[in-house]
Amino acid sequence: MTNALFWILSSVVLDIAANWAIKRSRGFSLKRWGILSIVLVICAFLMLKPALSYFHLSVAYALWGVGGIVGSFIVDRIFFHVHLSPRIIPPILLMVIGIILINVTTPPIR
Amino acid sequence: MLRYWLFLLAAILSETAGTTSLKAFDDVHYGQAGLLATSTFIALSYFLLSKAVLRIPLGIAYTCWEGVGLALVAMTSFLLFNEPMPPLKLIGIGCVLTGLIWLHQVVRHSND
């Protein structure tokens, strides 16, 4: 379980890094940052796979998705100094509940 | 501003196509064709996302990308692969879409 959690955590970190890089690419006008971001997000997807030996895809994907969402808000605040109104919290929470519900009701691929 | 939401929508559609093709080509060349198609669509999706986050805050754009993408994949899986659609899943899709519209309203009013 520790191993699987490690893979999920690594995947989340790569995913957040990808989001940081995509914003730094300024709409892909800085191509290096854009390409770095795409490489990072594909690696993030690939790293999720080893976690599936322990977690169901639905659980792994929900943890990954919610981790990425929380991380992206933190990155935006710390690195890009974006301060958002607390009024966005209820709709974001509603979407997170939706994400978890869709994931836990999805059967494994095979 | 609408322009950036449309970029986000296009990014989400590309991600949905990517995830759906992973399932559609699951048996072709041991899933490698699916991986290639998925990677291409995800790359296109991130290119479009880069345009969207020029104006939409990163966390908001990513939540929509993740949530709406997932809701659409649930629908394509139901329509194309006969995956079950239990009531709880429908409620989940409803939560995501309601959250999206609510979020869009909040963002629009705080920007103007």
Side-chain angles (χ1 to χ4, degrees):
Chain A
M1 171 163 180
T2 322
N3 258 341
L5 268 178
F6 167 78
W7 284 114
I8 290 182
L9 196 67
S10 313
S11 177
V12 168
V13 170
L14 284 186
D15 191 40
I16 296 167
N19 289 345
W20 168 68
I22 203 67
K23 187 150 174 171
R24 286 212 65 166
S25 80
R26 295 196 198 132
F28 234 85
S29 53
L30 301 176
K31 294 212 171 39
R32 278 185 191 181
W33 286 102
I35 290 165
L36 173 69
S37 172
I38 289 171
V39 171
L40 284 171
V41 77
I42 289 174
C43 290
F45 262 97
L46 296 178
M47 285 185 102
L48 204 53
K49 208 170 165 111
L52 302 182
S53 56
Y54 186 85
F55 288 107
H56 275 294
L57 178 65
S58 55
V59 178
Y61 194 82
L63 285 172
W64 182 71
V66 175
I69 287 171
V70 174
S72 298
F73 277 106
I74 294 173
V75 161
D76 219 10
R77 180 147 188 156
I78 294 178
F79 294 101
F80 301 106
H81 310 289
V82 175
H83 290 264
L84 295 167
S85 150
R87 291 201 306 142
I88 63 156
I89 294 172
I92 295 281
L93 282 181
L94 187 62
M95 291 178 85
V96 165
I97 291 169
I99 288 169
I100 293 169
L101 276 180
I102 294 171
N103 274 313
V104 298
T105 52
T106 300
I109 293 176
R110 260 190 281 260
Chain B
M1 192 65 197
L2 179 68
R3 191 183 134 88
Y4 299 96
W5 284 95
L6 289 177
F7 271 125
L8 182 57
L9 182 69
I12 292 168
L13 291 179
S14 179
E15 184 224 353
T16 306
T19 313
T20 306
S21 48
L22 192 61
K23 284 189 192 179
F25 301 124
D26 202 27
D27 296 328
V28 184
H29 297 294
Y30 308 100
Q32 282 170 359
L35 266 183
L36 184 69
T38 305
S39 306
T40 310
F41 277 119
I42 295 291
L44 174 65
S45 179
Y46 257 63
F47 171 76
L48 293 162
L49 189 64
S50 78
K51 306 283 181 195
V53 295
L54 281 170
R55 286 288 296 279
I56 303 173
L58 190 60
I60 289 177
Y62 186 72
T63 308
C64 297
W65 187 86
E66 173 82 36
V68 179
L70 190 62
L72 289 178
V73 169
M75 288 188 227
T76 57
S77 304
F78 171 70
L79 295 171
L80 299 176
F81 311 120
N82 301 314
E83 264 187 22
M85 179 66 78
L88 263 183
K89 196 177 209 169
L90 264 182
I91 294 172
I93 294 173
C95 286
V96 167
L97 297 182
T98 311
L100 173 76
I101 295 164
W102 187 0
L103 188 62
H104 181 246
Q105 290 300 318
V106 172
V107 173
R108 206 170 68 173
H109 290 296
S110 57
N111 271 1
D112 291 343

Coordinates of all heavy atoms in Angstrom, one line a residue, chain A residues 1-89:
Chain A
M1 N 0.8 -1.2 0.0 CA 0.0 0.0 0.0 C 0.9 1.3 0.0 O 0.6 2.2 -0.7 CB -0.9 0.0 1.2 CG -1.6 1.3 1.4 SD -3.0 1.3 2.5 CE -3.5 3.0 2.4
T2 N 2.0 1.2 0.8 CA 2.9 2.4 0.8 C 3.4 2.7 -0.6 O 3.5 3.8 -1.0 CB 4.0 2.1 1.8 OG1 3.5 1.4 2.9 CG2 4.6 3.5 2.3
N3 N 3.8 1.6 -1.3 CA 4.3 1.7 -2.6 C 3.3 2.4 -3.6 O 3.6 3.3 -4.3 CB 4.6 0.3 -3.2 CG 6.1 0.1 -3.2 OD1 6.9 1.0 -3.0 ND2 6.5 -1.2 -3.2
A4 N 2.0 1.9 -3.5 CA 1.0 2.4 -4.4 C 0.7 3.8 -4.1 O 0.5 4.6 -5.0 CB -0.3 1.5 -4.2
L5 N 0.7 4.2 -2.8 CA 0.5 5.6 -2.4 C 1.6 6.5 -2.9 O 1.4 7.6 -3.4 CB 0.4 5.7 -0.9 CG -1.0 5.6 -0.3 CD1 -1.0 5.7 1.2 CD2 -1.9 6.7 -0.8
F6 N 2.8 5.9 -2.9 CA 4.0 6.6 -3.4 C 3.8 6.9 -4.9 O 4.1 8.1 -5.3 CB 5.3 5.8 -3.2 CG 6.4 6.3 -3.9 CD1 7.2 7.4 -3.5 CD2 6.8 5.7 -5.1 CE1 8.2 7.9 -4.2 CE2 7.9 6.2 -5.9 CZ 8.6 7.3 -5.4
W7 N 3.3 6.0 -5.7 CA 3.1 6.2 -7.1 C 2.0 7.2 -7.3 O 2.2 8.1 -8.2 CB 2.7 4.9 -7.8 CG 3.9 3.9 -8.0 CD1 4.0 2.7 -7.4 CD2 5.0 4.2 -8.8 NE1 5.2 2.2 -7.8 CE2 5.8 3.0 -8.7 CE3 5.4 5.2 -9.7 CZ2 7.1 2.9 -9.4 CZ3 6.6 5.1 -10.3 CH2 7.4 4.0 -10.2
I8 N 1.0 7.2 -6.6 CA -0.1 8.2 -6.7 C 0.4 9.5 -6.4 O 0.2 10.5 -7.2 CB -1.3 7.8 -5.9 CG1 -2.0 6.6 -6.4 CG2 -2.3 9.0 -5.9 CD1 -3.3 6.2 -5.7
L9 N 1.1 9.6 -5.3 CA 1.7 10.9 -4.8 C 2.6 11.5 -5.9 O 2.6 12.7 -6.3 CB 2.4 10.8 -3.5 CG 2.7 12.0 -2.7 CD1 1.3 12.7 -2.3 CD2 3.5 11.8 -1.5
S10 N 3.5 10.6 -6.5 CA 4.4 11.1 -7.5 C 3.7 11.6 -8.7 O 4.0 12.6 -9.3 CB 5.4 9.9 -7.9 OG 5.9 9.3 -6.8
S11 N 2.6 10.8 -9.1 CA 1.8 11.2 -10.2 C 1.1 12.5 -10.0 O 1.1 13.4 -10.9 CB 0.8 10.1 -10.5 OG -0.1 10.4 -11.5
V12 N 0.6 12.8 -8.8 CA 0.0 14.0 -8.5 C 1.0 15.2 -8.6 O 0.7 16.2 -9.2 CB -0.6 14.0 -7.1 CG1 -1.0 15.4 -6.6 CG2 -1.9 13.1 -7.0
V13 N 2.2 15.0 -8.0 CA 3.2 16.0 -8.1 C 3.6 16.3 -9.5 O 3.7 17.5 -9.9 CB 4.5 15.5 -7.3 CG1 5.7 16.5 -7.6 CG2 4.2 15.4 -5.8
L14 N 3.7 15.3 -10.4 CA 4.0 15.6 -11.8 C 2.9 16.3 -12.5 O 3.1 17.2 -13.3 CB 4.2 14.2 -12.6 CG 5.6 13.5 -12.3 CD1 5.7 12.3 -13.3 CD2 6.7 14.5 -12.6
D15 N 1.7 16.0 -12.1 CA 0.5 16.6 -12.7 C 0.4 18.1 -12.3 O 0.2 18.9 -13.2 CB -0.8 15.9 -12.2 CG -2.0 16.3 -12.9 OD1 -1.9 16.4 -14.1 OD2 -3.0 16.4 -12.3
I16 N 0.7 18.4 -11.1 CA 0.7 19.8 -10.6 C 1.9 20.5 -11.3 O 1.7 21.7 -11.7 CB 0.9 19.8 -9.1 CG1 -0.3 19.2 -8.4 CG2 1.1 21.3 -8.6 CD1 -0.2 18.9 -6.9
A17 N 3.0 19.9 -11.4 CA 4.2 20.5 -12.1 C 3.8 20.8 -13.6 O 4.1 21.9 -14.1 CB 5.4 19.6 -12.1
A18 N 3.0 19.9 -14.2 CA 2.6 20.1 -15.6 C 1.7 21.3 -15.7 O 1.8 22.1 -16.6 CB 1.8 18.8 -16.1
N19 N 0.8 21.5 -14.7 CA -0.1 22.7 -14.7 C 0.7 24.0 -14.5 O 0.4 25.0 -15.0 CB -1.2 22.5 -13.6 CG -2.2 21.4 -14.0 OD1 -2.2 21.0 -15.2 ND2 -3.0 20.9 -13.1
W20 N 1.7 23.9 -13.6 CA 2.6 25.0 -13.4 C 3.3 25.4 -14.7 O 3.3 26.6 -15.1 CB 3.6 24.7 -12.3 CG 4.7 25.6 -12.1 CD1 4.6 26.9 -11.6 CD2 6.1 25.4 -12.4 NE1 5.9 27.5 -11.6 CE2 6.8 26.6 -12.1 CE3 6.8 24.3 -12.9 CZ2 8.2 26.7 -12.2 CZ3 8.2 24.4 -13.0 CH2 8.9 25.6 -12.7
A21 N 3.8 24.4 -15.4 CA 4.5 24.7 -16.6 C 3.6 25.2 -17.7 O 4.0 26.0 -18.5 CB 5.3 23.4 -17.1
I22 N 2.4 24.7 -17.8 CA 1.5 25.1 -18.9 C 1.1 26.6 -18.7 O 1.0 27.3 -19.7 CB 0.2 24.2 -19.0 CG1 -0.4 24.3 -20.4 CG2 -0.9 24.6 -18.0 CD1 0.5 23.7 -21.4
K23 N 1.0 27.0 -17.4 CA 0.7 28.5 -17.2 C 2.0 29.3 -17.6 O 1.9 30.4 -18.1 CB 0.3 28.7 -15.8 CG -0.2 30.1 -15.6 CD -1.3 30.3 -14.6 CE -1.6 31.7 -14.3 NZ -2.8 31.9 -13.5
R24 N 3.2 28.8 -17.2 CA 4.4 29.5 -17.5 C 4.6 29.6 -19.1 O 5.4 30.5 -19.5 CB 5.6 28.8 -16.9 CG 5.7 29.0 -15.4 CD 7.1 29.0 -15.0 NE 7.8 30.2 -15.5 CZ 9.0 30.5 -15.0 NH1 9.6 29.9 -14.1 NH2 9.6 31.6 -15.6
S25 N 4.0 28.7 -19.8 CA 4.2 28.7 -21.3 C 3.5 29.9 -21.9 O 3.7 30.2 -23.1 CB 3.7 27.4 -21.9 OG 2.3 27.5 -22.1
R26 N 2.7 30.6 -21.2 CA 2.0 31.8 -21.7 C 1.3 31.5 -23.0 O 1.6 32.1 -24.0 CB 2.9 33.0 -21.8 CG 3.5 33.5 -20.5 CD 4.1 34.9 -20.6 NE 5.0 35.1 -19.5 CZ 6.2 35.5 -19.6 NH1 6.7 35.9 -20.8 NH2 6.9 35.7 -18.5
G27 N 0.4 30.6 -22.9 CA -0.4 30.3 -24.1 C 0.4 29.6 -25.2 O 0.2 29.8 -26.4
F28 N 1.4 28.8 -24.8 CA 2.3 28.1 -25.7 C 3.2 29.0 -26.5 O 3.9 28.6 -27.4 CB 1.5 27.2 -26.6 CG 2.0 25.8 -26.6 CD1 1.6 24.9 -25.6 CD2 3.0 25.3 -27.5 CE1 2.0 23.6 -25.6 CE2 3.5 24.0 -27.4 CZ 3.0 23.1 -26.5
S29 N 3.3 30.3 -26.1 CA 4.3 31.2 -26.8 C 5.7 30.9 -26.3 O 6.7 31.1 -27.1 CB 3.9 32.6 -26.7 OG 3.8 33.0 -25.4
L30 N 5.9 30.4 -25.1 CA 7.2 29.9 -24.7 C 7.1 28.3 -24.8 O 6.7 27.6 -24.0 CB 7.4 30.2 -23.2 CG 7.4 31.7 -22.9 CD1 7.6 32.0 -21.4 CD2 8.5 32.4 -23.7
K31 N 7.6 27.9 -26.0 CA 7.3 26.5 -26.4 C 8.0 25.5 -25.5 O 7.5 24.4 -25.2 CB 7.8 26.3 -27.8 CG 7.0 27.1 -28.8 CD 6.8 26.4 -30.2 CE 5.8 27.2 -31.0 NZ 5.9 28.6 -30.9
R32 N 9.2 25.8 -24.9 CA 9.9 24.9 -24.1 C 9.0 24.5 -22.9 O 8.9 23.3 -22.5 CB 11.2 25.5 -23.5 CG 12.3 25.4 -24.5 CD 13.5 25.9 -23.9 NE 14.6 26.0 -25.0 CZ 15.8 26.4 -24.7 NH1 16.2 26.7 -23.5 NH2 16.7 26.4 -25.7
W33 N 8.4 25.5 -22.3 CA 7.5 25.3 -21.1 C 6.3 24.4 -21.5 O 5.9 23.6 -20.8 CB 7.1 26.6 -20.4 CG 8.2 27.2 -19.7 CD1 9.0 28.3 -20.1 CD2 8.7 26.8 -18.4 NE1 10.0 28.5 -19.1 CE2 9.8 27.7 -18.1 CE3 8.4 25.8 -17.5 CZ2 10.6 27.5 -16.9 CZ3 9.1 25.7 -16.3 CH2 10.2 26.5 -16.1
G34 N 5.8 24.7 -22.7 CA 4.6 24.0 -23.2 C 4.9 22.5 -23.4 O 4.2 21.7 -23.0
I35 N 6.1 22.3 -24.0 CA 6.4 20.9 -24.3 C 6.8 20.2 -23.0 O 6.4 19.0 -22.8 CB 7.6 20.8 -25.3 CG1 7.1 21.3 -26.7 CG2 8.2 19.5 -25.4 CD1 8.1 21.7 -27.7
L36 N 7.5 20.9 -22.1 CA 7.8 20.3 -20.8 C 6.5 19.8 -20.1 O 6.4 18.7 -19.6 CB 8.5 21.3 -19.9 CG 8.7 20.9 -18.5 CD1 9.7 19.7 -18.4 CD2 9.2 22.0 -17.6
S37 N 5.5 20.7 -20.2 CA 4.2 20.4 -19.6 C 3.6 19.2 -20.1 O 3.1 18.3 -19.4 CB 3.3 21.6 -19.7 OG 2.0 21.3 -19.3
I38 N 3.6 19.0 -21.5 CA 3.0 17.9 -22.1 C 3.7 16.6 -21.7 O 3.1 15.5 -21.4 CB 2.9 18.0 -23.6 CG1 1.9 19.1 -23.9 CG2 2.6 16.7 -24.3 CD1 1.8 19.6 -25.4
V39 N 5.1 16.7 -21.7 CA 5.9 15.5 -21.2 C 5.5 15.1 -19.8 O 5.3 13.9 -19.5 CB 7.4 15.8 -21.4 CG1 8.2 14.7 -20.7 CG2 7.7 16.0 -22.8
L40 N 5.4 16.1 -18.9 CA 5.1 15.9 -17.5 C 3.7 15.2 -17.3 O 3.6 14.3 -16.5 CB 5.1 17.2 -16.7 CG 6.5 17.7 -16.4 CD1 6.4 19.1 -15.8 CD2 7.3 16.8 -15.4
V41 N 2.7 15.7 -18.1 CA 1.4 15.2 -17.9 C 1.3 13.7 -18.4 O 0.6 12.9 -17.8 CB 0.3 16.1 -18.5 CG1 0.1 16.0 -20.0 CG2 -1.1 15.8 -17.8
I42 N 2.0 13.4 -19.5 CA 2.0 12.0 -20.0 C 2.7 11.1 -19.0 O 2.2 10.0 -18.7 CB 2.5 12.0 -21.4 CG1 1.5 12.6 -22.4 CG2 2.8 10.5 -21.8 CD1 2.0 12.8 -23.8
C43 N 3.8 11.6 -18.4 CA 4.5 10.8 -17.4 C 3.6 10.6 -16.2 O 3.6 9.5 -15.6 CB 5.8 11.5 -16.9 SG 7.1 11.5 -18.1
A44 N 2.8 11.6 -15.8 CA 1.9 11.5 -14.7 C 0.9 10.4 -14.9 O 0.6 9.6 -14.0 CB 1.2 12.9 -14.4
F45 N 0.3 10.3 -16.1 CA -0.6 9.3 -16.5 C 0.1 7.9 -16.3 O -0.5 7.0 -15.8 CB -1.1 9.4 -18.0 CG -2.4 10.1 -18.1 CD1 -2.5 11.5 -18.4 CD2 -3.6 9.4 -18.0 CE1 -3.7 12.1 -18.5 CE2 -4.8 10.0 -18.1 CZ -4.9 11.4 -18.4
L46 N 1.3 7.8 -16.9 CA 2.0 6.5 -16.8 C 2.3 6.1 -15.4 O 2.3 4.9 -15.1 CB 3.3 6.6 -17.7 CG 3.1 6.8 -19.2 CD1 4.4 6.9 -19.9 CD2 2.2 5.7 -19.8
M47 N 2.6 7.0 -14.5 CA 3.0 6.7 -13.2 C 1.8 6.2 -12.4 O 1.9 5.6 -11.3 CB 3.6 7.9 -12.4 CG 5.0 8.1 -12.9 SD 5.7 9.4 -11.9 CE 6.7 8.5 -10.8
L48 N 0.6 6.5 -12.9 CA -0.6 6.1 -12.2 C -0.8 4.6 -12.3 O -1.4 3.9 -11.4 CB -1.8 6.8 -12.8 CG -3.1 7.0 -11.9 CD1 -2.7 7.6 -10.6 CD2 -4.1 7.8 -12.7
K49 N -0.3 4.0 -13.4 CA -0.5 2.6 -13.7 C 0.1 1.6 -12.6 O -0.7 0.7 -12.2 CB 0.1 2.3 -15.0 CG -0.6 1.1 -15.7 CD -0.2 0.9 -17.1 CE -0.7 -0.5 -17.5 NZ -1.7 -0.5 -18.5
P50 N 1.3 1.8 -12.1 CA 1.8 0.9 -11.1 C 0.9 1.0 -9.8 O 0.9 0.0 -9.1 CB 3.2 1.4 -10.8 CG 3.6 2.3 -11.9 CD 2.3 2.8 -12.5
A51 N 0.2 2.1 -9.6 CA -0.6 2.2 -8.4 C -1.8 1.2 -8.4 O -2.4 0.9 -7.4 CB -1.1 3.6 -8.2
L52 N -2.1 0.8 -9.7 CA -3.4 0.0 -9.9 C -3.2 -1.4 -9.4 O -4.2 -2.2 -9.3 CB -3.8 0.0 -11.3 CG -4.0 1.4 -11.9 CD1 -4.5 1.3 -13.4 CD2 -5.1 2.1 -11.1
S53 N -2.0 -1.8 -9.0 CA -1.8 -3.2 -8.4 C -2.4 -3.2 -7.0 O -2.8 -4.3 -6.6 CB -0.3 -3.5 -8.4 OG 0.4 -2.5 -7.6
Y54 N -2.6 -2.1 -6.4 CA -3.2 -2.1 -5.1 C -4.5 -1.4 -5.1 O -5.5 -1.9 -4.5 CB -2.2 -1.4 -4.1 CG -2.7 -1.5 -2.7 CD1 -2.5 -2.6 -1.9 CD2 -3.5 -0.5 -2.1 CE1 -3.0 -2.7 -0.6 CE2 -4.1 -0.6 -0.8 CZ -3.8 -1.7 -0.1 OH -4.3 -1.8 1.2
F55 N -4.6 -0.2 -5.7 CA -5.9 0.5 -5.7 C -6.7 0.2 -6.9 O -6.2 -0.1 -8.0 CB -5.7 2.0 -5.7 CG -5.1 2.5 -4.4 CD1 -3.8 2.9 -4.2 CD2 -5.9 2.6 -3.2 CE1 -3.3 3.4 -3.0 CE2 -5.5 3.1 -2.0 CZ -4.1 3.5 -1.9
H56 N -8.1 0.2 -6.8 CA -8.9 0.2 -7.9 C -8.7 1.5 -8.7 O -8.4 2.5 -8.2 CB -10.4 0.2 -7.5 CG -10.9 -1.2 -7.2 ND1 -11.0 -2.2 -8.2 CD2 -11.3 -1.8 -6.1 CE1 -11.5 -3.3 -7.6 NE2 -11.6 -3.1 -6.3
L57 N -8.9 1.4 -10.1 CA -8.7 2.5 -10.9 C -9.5 3.7 -10.4 O -9.0 4.9 -10.4 CB -9.1 2.2 -12.4 CG -8.9 3.3 -13.4 CD1 -7.5 3.8 -13.5 CD2 -9.5 3.0 -14.7
S58 N -10.7 3.4 -10.0 CA -11.6 4.5 -9.6 C -11.1 5.3 -8.4 O -11.1 6.5 -8.4 CB -13.0 3.9 -9.3 OG -12.9 2.9 -8.3
V59 N -10.5 4.5 -7.4 CA -10.0 5.2 -6.2 C -8.7 5.9 -6.6 O -8.5 7.1 -6.2 CB -9.7 4.1 -5.1 CG1 -9.1 4.8 -3.9 CG2 -11.0 3.4 -4.8
A60 N -7.8 5.3 -7.3 CA -6.6 5.9 -7.7 C -6.9 7.2 -8.5 O -6.3 8.3 -8.2 CB -5.7 5.0 -8.6
Y61 N -7.8 7.1 -9.4 CA -8.1 8.3 -10.3 C -8.7 9.4 -9.5 O -8.5 10.6 -9.7 CB -9.0 7.9 -11.5 CG -9.1 8.9 -12.6 CD1 -8.1 9.0 -13.5 CD2 -10.1 9.8 -12.6 CE1 -8.1 9.9 -14.5 CE2 -10.2 10.8 -13.6 CZ -9.2 10.8 -14.6 OH -9.2 11.8 -15.5
A62 N -9.6 9.0 -8.5 CA -10.2 10.1 -7.7 C -9.2 10.8 -6.8 O -9.2 12.0 -6.7 CB -11.3 9.5 -6.8
L63 N -8.3 10.0 -6.2 CA -7.2 10.6 -5.4 C -6.4 11.5 -6.2 O -6.0 12.6 -5.8 CB -6.3 9.5 -4.8 CG -6.9 8.7 -3.6 CD1 -6.0 7.5 -3.3 CD2 -7.1 9.6 -2.4
W64 N -6.0 11.0 -7.4 CA -5.2 11.8 -8.4 C -5.8 13.1 -8.8 O -5.2 14.2 -8.8 CB -4.9 10.9 -9.6 CG -4.0 11.4 -10.6 CD1 -2.7 11.6 -10.5 CD2 -4.4 11.9 -11.9 NE1 -2.2 12.2 -11.6 CE2 -3.2 12.3 -12.5 CE3 -5.6 11.9 -12.6 CZ2 -3.2 12.8 -13.8 CZ3 -5.5 12.4 -13.9 CH2 -4.4 12.8 -14.5
G65 N -7.1 13.0 -9.2 CA -7.9 14.1 -9.7 C -8.0 15.2 -8.6 O -7.7 16.4 -8.8
V66 N -8.4 14.8 -7.4 CA -8.6 15.8 -6.3 C -7.3 16.4 -5.9 O -7.2 17.6 -5.6 CB -9.4 15.1 -5.2 CG1 -9.5 16.1 -4.0 CG2 -10.8 14.7 -5.6
G67 N -6.3 15.5 -5.8 CA -4.9 16.0 -5.5 C -4.5 17.1 -6.5 O -3.9 18.1 -6.1
G68 N -4.7 16.8 -7.7 CA -4.3 17.8 -8.8 C -5.1 19.1 -8.7 O -4.5 20.2 -8.9
I69 N -6.4 19.0 -8.3 CA -7.2 20.2 -8.2 C -6.7 21.1 -7.1 O -6.4 22.3 -7.2 CB -8.7 19.8 -8.0 CG1 -9.3 19.3 -9.3 CG2 -9.5 21.0 -7.5 CD1 -10.6 18.7 -9.2
V70 N -6.5 20.5 -5.9 CA -6.0 21.2 -4.7 C -4.7 21.8 -5.0 O -4.4 23.0 -4.7 CB -6.0 20.3 -3.5 CG1 -5.4 21.0 -2.3 CG2 -7.4 19.8 -3.1
G71 N -3.8 21.0 -5.6 CA -2.4 21.5 -5.9 C -2.4 22.6 -6.9 O -1.6 23.6 -6.7
S72 N -3.3 22.6 -7.9 CA -3.3 23.7 -8.9 C -3.7 25.0 -8.2 O -3.2 26.1 -8.6 CB -4.3 23.4 -10.0 OG -3.9 22.2 -10.6
F73 N -4.7 25.0 -7.3 CA -5.1 26.2 -6.6 C -3.9 26.7 -5.8 O -3.6 27.9 -5.7 CB -6.3 25.9 -5.7 CG -7.6 26.0 -6.4 CD1 -8.3 24.9 -6.7 CD2 -8.1 27.2 -6.8 CE1 -9.5 24.9 -7.4 CE2 -9.3 27.3 -7.5 CZ -10.0 26.1 -7.8
I74 N -3.2 25.8 -5.1 CA -2.0 26.2 -4.3 C -0.9 26.8 -5.1 O -0.4 27.9 -4.8 CB -1.5 25.0 -3.4 CG1 -2.6 24.6 -2.4 CG2 -0.2 25.4 -2.7 CD1 -2.2 23.3 -1.7
V75 N -0.6 26.2 -6.3 CA 0.4 26.7 -7.2 C 0.0 28.1 -7.7 O 0.8 29.0 -7.8 CB 0.6 25.7 -8.4 CG1 1.3 26.4 -9.6 CG2 1.4 24.5 -8.0
D76 N -1.3 28.2 -8.1 CA -1.7 29.5 -8.6 C -1.5 30.6 -7.6 O -1.1 31.7 -7.9 CB -3.2 29.4 -9.0 CG -3.5 30.1 -10.3 OD1 -2.6 30.6 -11.0 OD2 -4.7 30.3 -10.6
R77 N -1.8 30.3 -6.3 CA -1.7 31.3 -5.2 C -0.2 31.6 -4.9 O 0.2 32.8 -4.8 CB -2.4 30.7 -4.0 CG -2.3 31.7 -2.9 CD -3.6 31.6 -2.0 NE -3.6 32.7 -1.0 CZ -4.7 33.2 -0.5 NH1 -5.8 32.7 -0.8 NH2 -4.6 34.1 0.4
I78 N 0.6 30.6 -4.8 CA 2.0 30.8 -4.4 C 2.9 31.3 -5.5 O 3.6 32.3 -5.3 CB 2.6 29.5 -3.8 CG1 1.9 29.1 -2.5 CG2 4.1 29.6 -3.5 CD1 2.3 27.8 -1.9
F79 N 2.8 30.7 -6.7 CA 3.7 31.1 -7.8 C 3.2 32.2 -8.7 O 3.9 32.9 -9.3 CB 4.1 29.9 -8.6 CG 4.8 28.9 -7.9 CD1 4.2 27.7 -7.4 CD2 6.2 29.0 -7.7 CE1 4.9 26.8 -6.7 CE2 6.9 28.1 -6.9 CZ 6.3 26.9 -6.5
F80 N 1.9 32.3 -8.8 CA 1.3 33.3 -9.7 C 0.5 34.4 -9.0 O -0.1 35.3 -9.6 CB 0.5 32.7 -10.8 CG 1.2 31.6 -11.6 CD1 1.0 30.3 -11.4 CD2 2.2 32.0 -12.6 CE1 1.7 29.3 -12.2 CE2 2.9 31.1 -13.3 CZ 2.7 29.7 -13.1
H81 N 0.5 34.3 -7.6 CA -0.2 35.3 -6.8 C -1.6 35.6 -7.2 O -2.0 36.7 -7.2 CB 0.7 36.6 -6.8 CG 2.1 36.3 -6.5 ND1 2.6 35.9 -5.2 CD2 3.2 36.4 -7.3 CE1 3.9 35.7 -5.3 NE2 4.3 36.0 -6.5
V82 N -2.3 34.5 -7.5 CA -3.7 34.7 -7.9 C -4.6 34.5 -6.6 O -4.5 33.5 -5.9 CB -4.2 33.7 -8.9 CG1 -5.7 33.7 -9.2 CG2 -3.4 33.9 -10.2
H83 N -5.3 35.6 -6.2 CA -6.1 35.5 -5.0 C -7.6 35.4 -5.4 O -8.1 36.3 -6.1 CB -5.9 36.6 -4.1 CG -4.5 36.6 -3.4 ND1 -4.3 36.0 -2.2 CD2 -3.3 36.9 -3.9 CE1 -3.0 36.0 -1.9 NE2 -2.4 36.6 -2.9
L84 N -8.2 34.3 -5.0 CA -9.6 34.1 -5.5 C -10.6 34.3 -4.4 O -10.3 34.2 -3.2 CB -9.7 32.7 -6.1 CG -8.9 32.4 -7.3 CD1 -8.8 30.9 -7.5 CD2 -9.5 33.1 -8.5
S85 N -11.8 34.7 -4.8 CA -12.9 34.9 -3.9 C -13.3 33.6 -3.2 O -13.3 32.6 -3.9 CB -14.1 35.5 -4.6 OG -15.3 35.1 -3.9
P86 N -13.6 33.6 -1.9 CA -14.0 32.3 -1.2 C -15.3 31.8 -1.8 O -15.7 30.6 -1.5 CB -14.1 32.7 0.2 CG -13.9 34.1 0.4 CD -13.4 34.7 -1.0
R87 N -16.0 32.6 -2.6 CA -17.3 32.2 -3.2 C -17.1 31.1 -4.2 O -18.1 30.4 -4.6 CB -18.0 33.4 -3.8 CG -18.5 34.4 -2.8 CD -19.6 35.3 -3.3 NE -19.2 35.9 -4.6 CZ -20.0 36.1 -5.6 NH1 -21.2 35.6 -5.5 NH2 -19.6 36.7 -6.7
I88 N -15.9 30.8 -4.6 CA -15.7 29.7 -5.6 C -15.6 28.4 -4.8 O -15.7 27.3 -5.5 CB -14.4 29.8 -6.4 CG1 -13.1 29.8 -5.5 CG2 -14.4 31.1 -7.3 CD1 -11.9 29.4 -6.2
I89 N -15.5 28.4 -3.5 CA -15.3 27.1 -2.8 C -16.5 26.2 -2.9 O -16.4 25.0 -3.2 CB -14.9 27.4 -1.3 CG1 -13.5 28.0 -1.3 CG2 -14.9 26.1 -0.5 CD1 -13.1 28.5 0.1

